[in-house]
Amino acid sequence: MLVSTVVCVLGCASAVVIPVVTGASQAFTGSVASSGLLGLVFTVRNVQLLRANGRPSLPPAVLTTIFGGWFMLAPLLYGDVGFLPTAGTQLAGTIISTFGLYVVVAGVTGETR
């Protein structure tokens, strides 16, 4: 469970960096980077609560999953983002959504491993 939450942290961090490194437009970079920083708040909080309580917390896990969905959708809403920013941001979003949703399901079912 801890690995899944840490993967979400790394995914959000990469979503912040990818548009900057790949030279995406300022609007896309600003939107995704600010969303990624906000997403980092929830992903890090999820790790913190998991370590403190030994079980996942649903509110940050659900918000993490939502941010992953946003990273998958965001490149499609902007005009000409480019291949690398789109692929990188969507890959980060897919990873975040997948592992975030796993933590949500584990939290609902009471799984702690």
Side-chain angles (χ1 to χ4, degrees):
M1 192 65 53
L2 183 60
V3 171
S4 294
T5 57
V6 170
V7 166
C8 289
V9 171
L10 296 175
C12 267
S14 67
V16 170
V17 173
I18 287 169
V20 175
V21 172
T22 57
S25 69
Q26 288 182 341
F28 180 74
T29 300
S31 175
V32 171
S34 60
S35 296
L37 291 173
L38 186 57
L40 275 171
V41 170
F42 296 111
T43 58
V44 170
R45 180 69 176 152
N46 205 19
V47 170
Q48 179 189 30
L49 290 171
L50 178 64
R51 291 186 59 162
N53 301 329
R55 57 188 168 81
S57 176
L58 284 179
V62 168
L63 289 167
T64 296
T65 304
I66 291 170
F67 273 99
W70 165 243
F71 295 136
M72 289 188 286
L73 180 64
L76 305 176
L77 299 177
Y78 288 85
D80 185 25
V81 176
F83 173 74
L84 288 177
T86 297
T89 304
Q90 287 184 327
L91 177 61
T94 303
I95 290 168
I96 295 164
S97 288
T98 302
F99 285 92
L101 188 57
Y102 173 74
V103 175
V104 169
V105 170
V108 169
T109 62
E111 178 71 32
T112 59
R113 287 185 265 172

XYZ file of all heavy atoms in Angstrom:
803
model
N 0.826 -1.180 0.000
C 0.000 0.000 0.000
C 0.882 1.260 0.000
O 0.590 2.199 -0.717
C -0.901 -0.031 1.231
C -1.987 0.977 1.199
S -3.203 0.750 -0.090
C -3.674 -0.920 0.174
N 1.925 1.213 0.815
C 2.824 2.364 0.875
C 3.482 2.620 -0.480
O 3.615 3.770 -0.904
C 3.877 2.158 1.963
C 4.840 3.319 2.196
C 4.083 4.579 2.611
C 5.880 2.949 3.231
N 3.840 1.559 -1.169
C 4.462 1.710 -2.490
C 3.493 2.401 -3.450
O 3.894 3.291 -4.208
C 4.914 0.335 -3.041
C 5.348 0.446 -4.484
C 6.024 -0.237 -2.191
N 2.238 2.024 -3.402
C 1.236 2.640 -4.285
C 1.101 4.135 -4.014
O 0.990 4.928 -4.945
C -0.124 1.966 -4.109
O -0.067 0.641 -4.547
N 1.094 4.510 -2.747
C 0.971 5.938 -2.430
C 2.229 6.713 -2.832
O 2.126 7.846 -3.303
C 0.660 6.151 -0.935
O 1.667 5.534 -0.147
C -0.696 5.579 -0.566
N 3.380 6.091 -2.678
C 4.625 6.759 -3.086
C 4.692 6.888 -4.603
O 5.159 7.911 -5.128
C 5.853 6.009 -2.510
C 7.145 6.531 -3.111
C 5.885 6.127 -0.997
N 4.199 5.887 -5.328
C 4.153 5.974 -6.794
C 3.291 7.166 -7.210
O 3.626 7.884 -8.158
C 3.633 4.657 -7.408
C 3.252 4.826 -8.864
C 4.679 3.565 -7.263
N 2.199 7.406 -6.507
C 1.339 8.566 -6.807
C 2.086 9.875 -6.575
O 1.937 10.824 -7.348
C 0.067 8.521 -5.969
S -1.075 7.218 -6.460
N 2.881 9.936 -5.517
C 3.691 11.134 -5.259
C 4.663 11.361 -6.415
O 4.783 12.479 -6.943
C 4.462 11.018 -3.923
C 5.472 12.152 -3.765
C 3.504 10.996 -2.741
N 5.346 10.312 -6.830
C 6.308 10.431 -7.933
C 5.609 10.791 -9.243
O 6.147 11.569 -10.046
C 7.099 9.141 -8.082
C 7.983 8.764 -6.891
C 8.616 7.397 -7.103
C 9.032 9.826 -6.643
N 4.408 10.250 -9.459
C 3.644 10.589 -10.660
C 3.263 12.054 -10.694
O 3.370 12.710 -11.732
N 2.820 12.579 -9.558
C 2.458 14.012 -9.499
C 3.688 14.888 -9.709
O 3.626 15.904 -10.401
C 1.804 14.346 -8.159
S 0.022 14.229 -8.198
N 4.795 14.494 -9.097
C 6.027 15.259 -9.280
C 6.453 15.260 -10.746
O 6.876 16.290 -11.285
C 7.136 14.697 -8.396
N 6.318 14.121 -11.405
C 6.688 14.074 -12.823
C 5.718 14.886 -13.681
O 6.131 15.494 -14.667
C 6.775 12.628 -13.316
O 5.511 12.018 -13.317
N 4.448 14.926 -13.298
C 3.485 15.743 -14.047
C 3.827 17.223 -13.942
O 3.557 17.991 -14.867
C 2.060 15.491 -13.547
N 4.420 17.631 -12.839
C 4.855 19.026 -12.682
C 6.039 19.316 -13.597
O 6.105 20.371 -14.233
C 5.239 19.325 -11.210
C 5.909 20.672 -11.068
C 4.013 19.239 -10.314
N 6.954 18.379 -13.683
C 8.217 18.600 -14.395
C 8.087 18.412 -15.908
O 8.719 19.139 -16.681
C 9.298 17.660 -13.820
C 10.574 17.706 -14.623
C 9.565 18.013 -12.372
N 7.290 17.467 -16.345
C 7.233 17.098 -17.769
C 6.932 18.287 -18.689
O 7.655 18.493 -19.669
C 6.250 15.932 -17.996
C 6.860 14.639 -17.462
C 5.874 15.776 -19.464
C 5.903 13.478 -17.392
N 5.897 19.098 -18.435
C 5.641 20.203 -19.358
C 6.779 21.232 -19.395
O 7.064 21.805 -20.442
C 4.364 20.850 -18.819
C 3.740 19.848 -17.941
C 4.852 18.998 -17.418
N 7.434 21.422 -18.275
C 8.547 22.384 -18.220
C 9.716 21.870 -19.041
O 10.292 22.604 -19.853
C 8.967 22.629 -16.752
C 10.184 23.530 -16.682
C 7.816 23.210 -15.948
N 10.066 20.614 -18.857
C 11.224 20.014 -19.528
C 10.988 19.862 -21.031
O 11.913 20.030 -21.820
C 11.566 18.654 -18.882
C 12.624 17.910 -19.664
C 12.006 18.851 -17.452
N 9.753 19.556 -21.424
C 9.484 19.298 -22.836
C 9.116 20.555 -23.617
O 8.861 20.480 -24.816
C 8.350 18.267 -22.992
O 7.184 18.744 -22.323
C 8.768 16.925 -22.427
N 9.077 21.697 -22.961
C 8.836 22.953 -23.665
C 7.414 23.161 -24.136
O 7.189 23.694 -25.217
N 6.447 22.743 -23.345
C 5.035 22.938 -23.699
C 4.677 24.414 -23.609
O 5.433 25.231 -23.070
C 4.152 22.120 -22.758
N 3.517 24.763 -24.126
C 3.065 26.157 -24.090
C 2.945 26.637 -22.648
O 2.788 25.838 -21.720
C 1.704 26.289 -24.790
O 0.699 25.649 -24.025
N 2.995 27.945 -22.473
C 2.926 28.513 -21.126
C 1.601 28.201 -20.453
O 1.559 27.913 -19.254
C 3.159 30.018 -21.170
C 4.582 30.391 -21.458
C 4.787 31.895 -21.448
O 3.846 32.669 -21.578
N 6.027 32.312 -21.275
N 0.519 28.249 -21.206
C -0.801 27.977 -20.621
C -0.882 26.536 -20.123
O -1.331 26.284 -19.004
C -1.899 28.247 -21.646
N -0.439 25.610 -20.942
C -0.470 24.201 -20.548
C 0.473 23.951 -19.381
O 0.111 23.281 -18.410
C -0.108 23.314 -21.741
C -0.116 21.851 -21.412
C -1.312 21.175 -21.246
C 1.078 21.146 -21.270
C -1.328 19.821 -20.945
C 1.064 19.791 -20.975
C -0.132 19.131 -20.810
N 1.672 24.481 -19.463
C 2.649 24.301 -18.394
C 2.129 24.859 -17.082
O 2.215 24.205 -16.045
C 3.992 24.970 -18.764
O 4.488 24.366 -19.954
C 5.002 24.816 -17.653
N 1.567 26.058 -17.122
C 1.038 26.670 -15.904
C -0.100 25.867 -15.311
O -0.162 25.653 -14.095
N -0.990 25.412 -16.149
C -2.145 24.649 -15.680
C -1.733 23.320 -15.075
O -2.147 22.970 -13.964
C -3.119 24.412 -16.835
O -4.177 23.583 -16.428
N -0.922 22.574 -15.790
C -0.537 21.243 -15.319
C 0.419 21.347 -14.136
O 0.296 20.579 -13.168
C 0.068 20.409 -16.472
C 0.677 19.122 -15.963
C -1.006 20.101 -17.501
N 1.349 22.279 -14.178
C 2.296 22.406 -13.063
C 1.586 22.841 -11.783
O 1.851 22.294 -10.710
C 3.402 23.387 -13.420
N 0.660 23.783 -11.879
C -0.058 24.204 -10.671
C -0.974 23.084 -10.175
O -1.086 22.859 -8.967
C -0.844 25.487 -10.914
O -1.800 25.315 -11.932
N -1.596 22.359 -11.084
C -2.417 21.212 -10.687
C -1.545 20.132 -10.046
O -1.946 19.500 -9.063
C -3.139 20.615 -11.889
O -4.050 21.525 -12.426
N -0.380 19.924 -10.602
C 0.529 18.925 -10.056
C 1.019 19.274 -8.663
O 1.129 18.410 -7.794
N 1.284 20.544 -8.435
C 1.696 20.962 -7.097
C 0.571 20.771 -6.088
O 0.795 20.328 -4.962
C 2.167 22.417 -7.116
C 3.479 22.665 -7.862
C 3.760 24.158 -7.966
C 4.633 21.945 -7.170
N -0.634 21.092 -6.497
C -1.784 20.865 -5.626
C -1.998 19.363 -5.411
O -2.289 18.917 -4.296
C -3.034 21.508 -6.225
C -4.287 21.471 -5.372
C -4.059 22.136 -4.020
C -5.424 22.162 -6.107
N -1.843 18.588 -6.469
C -1.951 17.137 -6.341
C -0.906 16.563 -5.397
O -1.173 15.609 -4.663
N 0.286 17.159 -5.392
C 1.332 16.710 -4.474
C 0.906 16.863 -3.025
O 1.259 16.040 -2.175
C 2.633 17.477 -4.722
C 3.526 16.928 -5.815
C 4.667 17.891 -6.113
C 4.072 15.567 -5.432
N 0.151 17.902 -2.720
C -0.344 18.091 -1.355
C -1.156 16.871 -0.926
O -0.972 16.331 0.171
C -1.193 19.380 -1.257
C -1.906 19.465 0.084
C -0.338 20.611 -1.501
N -2.052 16.423 -1.793
C -2.913 15.295 -1.441
C -2.155 13.972 -1.447
O -2.412 13.108 -0.601
C -4.121 15.238 -2.381
C -4.995 16.440 -2.245
C -5.077 17.370 -3.266
C -5.724 16.662 -1.092
C -5.870 18.495 -3.143
C -6.522 17.783 -0.961
C -6.600 18.703 -1.981
N -1.249 13.796 -2.386
C -0.514 12.534 -2.432
C 0.422 12.390 -1.239
O 0.511 11.313 -0.637
C 0.282 12.388 -3.746
O 1.188 13.484 -3.881
C -0.627 12.317 -4.943
N 1.092 13.462 -0.878
C 1.991 13.416 0.281
C 1.183 13.222 1.561
O 1.576 12.476 2.456
C 2.877 14.675 0.341
C 3.634 14.766 1.650
C 3.849 14.690 -0.831
N 0.029 13.882 1.644
C -0.841 13.702 2.820
C -1.312 12.249 2.912
O -1.397 11.695 4.018
C -2.040 14.651 2.730
C -2.990 14.551 3.882
C -2.386 15.061 5.163
N -3.377 15.037 6.219
C -3.110 14.898 7.483
N -1.854 14.793 7.868
N -4.056 14.881 8.376
N -1.583 11.634 1.793
C -1.993 10.235 1.793
C -0.884 9.339 2.337
O -1.142 8.433 3.131
C -2.400 9.808 0.383
C -3.355 8.645 0.391
O -3.993 8.345 1.382
N -3.453 7.991 -0.742
N 0.341 9.592 1.933
C 1.479 8.822 2.453
C 1.602 9.043 3.958
O 1.781 8.093 4.735
C 2.795 9.219 1.739
C 4.001 8.606 2.428
C 2.754 8.818 0.274
N 1.495 10.294 4.371
C 1.616 10.621 5.791
C 0.547 9.905 6.626
O 0.844 9.313 7.662
C 1.506 12.132 5.978
C 1.601 12.573 7.419
C 1.268 14.044 7.581
O 0.491 14.591 6.819
N 1.866 14.658 8.575
N -0.706 9.950 6.180
C -1.787 9.302 6.926
C -1.658 7.784 6.916
O -1.961 7.123 7.910
C -3.143 9.727 6.366
C -3.524 11.177 6.626
C -4.785 11.544 5.850
C -3.704 11.435 8.111
N -1.195 7.235 5.809
C -0.999 5.789 5.738
C 0.079 5.346 6.722
O -0.092 4.354 7.433
C -0.632 5.367 4.315
C -0.363 3.877 4.114
C -1.614 3.054 4.392
C 0.145 3.617 2.714
N 1.151 6.084 6.791
C 2.233 5.733 7.722
C 1.796 5.908 9.165
O 2.168 5.119 10.033
C 3.467 6.564 7.425
C 4.104 6.172 6.095
C 5.370 6.874 5.879
N 6.253 6.523 7.003
C 7.541 6.682 6.992
N 8.125 7.167 5.937
N 8.273 6.360 8.025
N 0.986 6.921 9.449
C 0.554 7.184 10.822
C -0.502 6.192 11.300
O -0.461 5.747 12.444
C 0.011 8.607 10.930
N -1.461 5.852 10.414
C -2.594 5.016 10.819
C -2.489 3.572 10.373
O -3.264 2.733 10.828
C -3.906 5.598 10.259
C -4.147 7.003 10.726
O -3.747 7.381 11.815
N -4.805 7.792 9.893
N -1.614 3.299 9.436
C -1.495 1.948 8.924
C -2.588 1.560 7.939
O -2.700 0.407 7.548
N -3.409 2.511 7.550
C -4.472 2.253 6.573
C -4.649 3.492 5.702
O -4.369 4.612 6.131
C -5.774 1.867 7.252
C -6.285 2.852 8.231
C -7.492 2.279 9.004
N -7.797 3.127 10.125
C -8.500 4.259 10.057
N -8.972 4.655 8.913
N -8.728 4.971 11.128
N -5.119 3.306 4.492
C -5.277 4.448 3.587
C -6.438 5.348 4.021
O -7.400 4.898 4.627
C -5.558 3.819 2.225
C -6.007 2.439 2.520
C -5.443 2.045 3.839
N -6.311 6.612 3.700
C -7.364 7.588 3.973
C -8.083 7.889 2.659
O -7.448 8.222 1.657
C -6.752 8.859 4.548
O -7.735 9.842 4.732
N -9.393 7.773 2.664
C -10.154 7.929 1.416
C -10.114 9.332 0.822
O -9.960 9.469 -0.393
C -11.594 7.483 1.627
C -11.784 5.975 1.683
C -13.240 5.628 1.927
C -11.296 5.327 0.417
N -10.266 10.418 1.588
C -10.302 11.734 0.930
C -9.061 12.043 0.082
O -9.206 12.377 -1.086
C -10.478 12.712 2.098
C -11.184 11.923 3.138
C -10.635 10.531 3.008
N -7.843 11.907 0.609
C -6.710 12.197 -0.269
C -6.541 11.171 -1.388
O -6.070 11.515 -2.470
C -5.499 12.212 0.663
C -5.922 11.514 1.886
C -7.401 11.653 1.987
N -6.942 9.930 -1.147
C -6.825 8.906 -2.197
C -7.770 9.209 -3.351
O -7.403 9.081 -4.528
C -7.102 7.521 -1.615
N -8.992 9.630 -3.035
C -9.958 9.970 -4.083
C -9.483 11.198 -4.856
O -9.534 11.229 -6.093
C -11.362 10.201 -3.477
C -12.298 10.826 -4.492
C -11.934 8.895 -2.963
N -9.005 12.215 -4.142
C -8.523 13.418 -4.824
C -7.299 13.118 -5.684
O -7.144 13.679 -6.770
C -8.230 14.518 -3.808
C -9.491 15.115 -3.191
C -9.150 15.964 -1.980
C -10.246 15.938 -4.221
N -6.448 12.223 -5.228
C -5.295 11.810 -6.025
C -5.756 11.180 -7.333
O -5.234 11.494 -8.412
C -4.429 10.814 -5.230
O -3.900 11.477 -4.092
C -3.304 10.260 -6.073
N -6.750 10.320 -7.259
C -7.286 9.668 -8.455
C -7.883 10.696 -9.413
O -7.706 10.597 -10.631
C -8.344 8.617 -8.054
O -7.743 7.704 -7.135
C -8.838 7.851 -9.258
N -8.573 11.680 -8.873
C -9.152 12.734 -9.709
C -8.061 13.536 -10.411
O -8.177 13.860 -11.600
C -10.072 13.636 -8.870
C -11.318 12.852 -8.452
C -10.444 14.913 -9.628
C -12.175 13.547 -7.424
N -6.987 13.846 -9.704
C -5.882 14.565 -10.345
C -5.268 13.726 -11.462
O -4.883 14.260 -12.508
C -4.814 14.972 -9.321
C -5.104 16.283 -8.672
C -5.675 16.326 -7.422
C -4.827 17.477 -9.301
C -5.970 17.531 -6.805
C -5.116 18.689 -8.717
C -5.684 18.722 -7.458
N -5.171 12.428 -11.259
C -4.671 11.557 -12.328
C -5.539 11.642 -13.565
O -5.039 11.720 -14.692
N -6.851 11.661 -13.369
C -7.771 11.819 -14.495
C -7.591 13.155 -15.193
O -7.653 13.244 -16.427
N -7.358 14.199 -14.410
C -7.127 15.529 -14.992
C -5.864 15.523 -15.856
O -5.852 16.091 -16.945
C -7.032 16.596 -13.911
C -6.454 17.881 -14.405
C -5.303 18.465 -14.001
C -7.003 18.751 -15.418
N -5.085 19.633 -14.702
C -6.120 19.819 -15.577
C -8.144 18.695 -16.218
C -6.342 20.844 -16.492
C -8.355 19.721 -17.126
C -7.463 20.787 -17.253
N -4.816 14.866 -15.385
C -3.579 14.834 -16.173
C -3.755 14.058 -17.471
O -3.089 14.348 -18.466
C -2.420 14.257 -15.355
C -2.038 15.116 -14.181
C -1.783 14.549 -12.948
C -1.958 16.487 -14.286
C -1.443 15.325 -11.861
C -1.629 17.282 -13.214
C -1.361 16.694 -11.987
N -4.637 13.081 -17.479
C -4.914 12.365 -18.726
C -5.737 13.229 -19.682
O -5.566 13.165 -20.896
C -5.663 11.059 -18.442
C -4.805 10.010 -17.794
S -5.624 8.419 -17.662
C -6.787 8.715 -16.357
N -6.636 14.042 -19.148
C -7.543 14.846 -19.963
C -6.944 16.179 -20.408
O -7.223 16.653 -21.512
C -8.831 15.106 -19.170
C -9.913 15.923 -19.850
C -10.448 15.190 -21.071
C -11.027 16.216 -18.863
N -6.125 16.791 -19.573
C -5.629 18.154 -19.816
C -4.994 18.361 -21.190
O -5.298 19.361 -21.858
C -4.656 18.561 -18.718
N -4.129 17.469 -21.677
C -3.519 17.725 -22.987
C -4.536 17.799 -24.123
O -4.287 18.450 -25.136
C -2.575 16.536 -23.189
C -2.301 16.024 -21.832
C -3.545 16.283 -21.041
N -5.683 17.146 -23.950
C -6.694 17.151 -25.001
C -7.480 18.459 -25.039
O -8.118 18.768 -26.042
C -7.660 15.976 -24.794
C -6.990 14.599 -24.710
C -8.028 13.536 -24.406
C -6.234 14.289 -25.981
N -7.434 19.224 -23.953
C -8.190 20.468 -23.881
C -7.422 21.684 -24.391
O -8.009 22.736 -24.590
C -8.636 20.723 -22.430
C -9.545 19.652 -21.841
C -9.863 19.981 -20.388
C -10.817 19.522 -22.649
N -6.132 21.530 -24.559
C -5.311 22.636 -25.053
C -5.008 22.421 -26.525
O -4.891 21.286 -26.991
C -4.013 22.739 -24.241
C -4.258 23.269 -22.855
C -4.628 22.430 -21.813
C -4.158 24.626 -22.589
C -4.877 22.919 -20.546
C -4.403 25.131 -21.331
C -4.765 24.268 -20.313
O -5.006 24.764 -19.057
N -4.832 23.513 -27.245
C -4.655 23.459 -28.693
C -3.535 22.560 -29.164
O -3.733 21.395 -29.472
N -2.350 23.088 -29.251
C -1.215 22.342 -29.792
C -0.192 22.134 -28.681
O 0.730 22.924 -28.508
C -0.600 23.110 -30.958
C 0.499 22.323 -31.637
O 0.473 21.094 -31.549
O 1.372 22.960 -32.258
N -0.356 21.067 -27.933
C 0.532 20.797 -26.803
C 1.821 20.135 -27.272
O 2.885 20.426 -26.776
C -0.180 19.914 -25.749
C 0.754 19.537 -24.629
C -1.398 20.634 -25.224
N 1.740 19.272 -28.226
C 2.909 18.548 -28.705
C 2.920 17.128 -28.184
O 2.261 16.792 -27.198
N 3.678 16.294 -28.874
C 3.686 14.861 -28.550
C 4.267 14.559 -27.173
O 3.652 13.871 -26.363
C 4.452 14.075 -29.623
C 4.627 12.633 -29.263
C 3.548 11.756 -29.333
C 5.849 12.150 -28.814
C 3.700 10.414 -28.979
C 6.000 10.819 -28.467
C 4.921 9.958 -28.546
N 5.468 15.031 -26.901
C 6.127 14.683 -25.640
C 5.379 15.198 -24.410
O 5.183 14.439 -23.451
C 7.578 15.163 -25.632
C 8.524 14.372 -26.530
C 9.927 14.973 -26.497
C 8.560 12.915 -26.134
N 4.930 16.467 -24.389
C 4.159 16.900 -23.219
C 2.859 16.112 -23.055
O 2.465 15.773 -21.941
C 3.871 18.374 -23.479
C 4.875 18.807 -24.471
C 5.209 17.591 -25.283
N 2.200 15.815 -24.170
C 0.952 15.048 -24.100
C 1.214 13.642 -23.581
O 0.564 13.180 -22.637
C 0.282 14.970 -25.483
O -0.065 16.291 -25.904
C -0.961 14.107 -25.447
N 2.156 12.951 -24.198
C 2.444 11.573 -23.798
C 2.930 11.499 -22.355
O 2.489 10.636 -21.591
C 3.485 10.971 -24.741
N 3.809 12.386 -21.980
C 4.345 12.368 -20.614
C 3.296 12.669 -19.564
O 3.198 11.986 -18.544
N 2.488 13.684 -19.823
C 1.460 14.063 -18.865
C 0.387 12.981 -18.769
O -0.081 12.642 -17.682
C 0.831 15.414 -19.252
O 1.874 16.401 -19.354
C -0.172 15.870 -18.218
N 0.000 12.418 -19.911
C -1.007 11.354 -19.878
C -0.468 10.085 -19.221
O -1.211 9.397 -18.515
C -1.530 11.064 -21.277
C -2.440 12.166 -21.780
C -3.050 11.861 -23.121
O -2.446 11.204 -23.960
N -4.251 12.364 -23.340
N 0.796 9.770 -19.431
C 1.385 8.613 -18.765
C 1.407 8.824 -17.251
O 1.038 7.924 -16.490
C 2.801 8.344 -19.283
C 3.536 7.186 -18.607
C 2.788 5.873 -18.827
C 4.961 7.097 -19.114
N 1.818 10.012 -16.825
C 1.801 10.318 -15.386
C 0.382 10.200 -14.842
O 0.160 9.626 -13.773
C 2.363 11.713 -15.136
N -0.596 10.722 -15.583
C -1.985 10.634 -15.151
C -2.489 9.214 -15.056
O -3.220 8.852 -14.124
N -2.097 8.388 -16.007
C -2.502 6.985 -15.981
C -1.931 6.268 -14.766
O -2.632 5.518 -14.080
C -2.056 6.274 -17.276
O -2.619 6.965 -18.398
C -2.476 4.822 -17.290
N -0.677 6.515 -14.491
C -0.034 5.896 -13.323
C -0.695 6.376 -12.030
O -1.012 5.580 -11.143
C 1.479 6.187 -13.338
C 2.131 5.414 -14.483
C 2.126 5.846 -11.998
C 3.560 5.820 -14.785
N -0.922 7.672 -11.930
C -1.548 8.234 -10.730
C -2.952 7.676 -10.545
O -3.333 7.268 -9.442
C -1.585 9.778 -10.807
C -0.174 10.347 -10.789
C -2.415 10.361 -9.666
C -0.103 11.806 -11.234
N -3.737 7.650 -11.604
C -5.110 7.145 -11.505
C -5.144 5.669 -11.140
O -5.964 5.236 -10.327
C -5.861 7.345 -12.823
O -6.140 8.690 -13.008
N -4.266 4.890 -11.733
C -4.253 3.455 -11.478
C -3.899 3.160 -10.023
O -4.630 2.453 -9.317
C -3.250 2.750 -12.408
O -3.619 3.017 -13.761
C -3.213 1.256 -12.159
N -2.802 3.706 -9.564
C -2.378 3.433 -8.192
C -3.257 4.158 -7.178
O -3.501 3.650 -6.081
C -0.902 3.785 -8.009
C 0.015 2.787 -8.643
C 0.461 2.961 -9.940
C 0.415 1.657 -7.957
C 1.293 2.031 -10.539
C 1.248 0.722 -8.531
C 1.690 0.902 -9.839
N -3.740 5.337 -7.538
C -4.662 6.055 -6.658
C -5.965 5.305 -6.481
O -6.496 5.206 -5.364
N -6.495 4.765 -7.566
C -7.736 4.007 -7.473
C -7.533 2.719 -6.675
O -8.419 2.295 -5.920
C -8.273 3.686 -8.866
C -9.656 3.067 -8.914
C -10.685 3.959 -8.229
C -10.061 2.807 -10.361
N -6.369 2.118 -6.796
C -6.054 0.940 -5.980
C -6.127 1.291 -4.490
O -6.688 0.546 -3.689
C -4.679 0.391 -6.334
C -4.233 -0.717 -5.410
C -4.790 -1.987 -5.493
C -3.273 -0.487 -4.439
C -4.402 -3.000 -4.641
C -2.878 -1.496 -3.571
C -3.442 -2.736 -3.685
O -3.059 -3.732 -2.823
N -5.573 2.441 -4.123
C -5.598 2.871 -2.722
C -7.035 3.157 -2.287
O -7.430 2.831 -1.168
C -4.679 4.094 -2.506
C -4.785 4.626 -1.089
C -3.229 3.730 -2.826
N -7.843 3.743 -3.169
C -9.250 3.994 -2.847
C -9.970 2.677 -2.584
O -10.676 2.530 -1.574
C -9.957 4.772 -3.992
C -11.459 4.793 -3.796
C -9.416 6.189 -4.090
N -9.818 1.717 -3.477
C -10.485 0.432 -3.317
C -10.003 -0.269 -2.043
O -10.786 -0.847 -1.283
C -10.282 -0.461 -4.564
C -10.763 -1.878 -4.317
C -10.973 0.158 -5.754
N -8.702 -0.202 -1.785
C -8.167 -0.798 -0.563
C -8.744 -0.115 0.677
O -9.048 -0.777 1.666
C -6.651 -0.696 -0.560
N -8.922 1.184 0.608
C -9.501 1.908 1.732
C -10.955 1.534 1.965
O -11.405 1.409 3.107
N -11.704 1.343 0.886
C -13.112 0.974 1.005
C -13.261 -0.449 1.538
O -14.133 -0.726 2.359
C -13.825 1.124 -0.362
C -15.199 0.497 -0.345
C -13.911 2.589 -0.748
N -12.404 -1.343 1.074
C -12.510 -2.740 1.484
C -11.792 -3.058 2.792
O -11.924 -4.152 3.308
C -11.968 -3.674 0.386
O -10.574 -3.383 0.180
C -12.740 -3.522 -0.898
N -11.011 -2.114 3.298
C -10.311 -2.331 4.560
C -8.971 -3.013 4.412
O -8.376 -3.438 5.384
N -8.464 -3.138 3.208
C -7.171 -3.747 2.945
C -6.065 -2.846 3.494
O -6.086 -1.636 3.285
C -6.972 -3.944 1.454
C -5.642 -4.515 1.059
C -5.494 -5.979 1.448
O -6.501 -6.694 1.447
O -4.366 -6.392 1.749
N -5.093 -3.408 4.187
C -4.011 -2.603 4.758
C -2.631 -3.031 4.294
O -1.639 -2.475 4.734
C -4.060 -2.652 6.301
O -3.931 -4.007 6.713
C -5.328 -2.041 6.819
N -2.538 -4.004 3.441
C -1.212 -4.467 2.983
C -0.727 -3.688 1.823
O -1.333 -3.159 1.020
C -1.254 -5.932 2.608
C -1.358 -6.806 3.814
C -1.283 -8.221 3.419
N -2.684 -8.649 3.303
C -3.055 -9.796 2.830
N -2.185 -10.616 2.363
N -4.306 -10.132 2.781
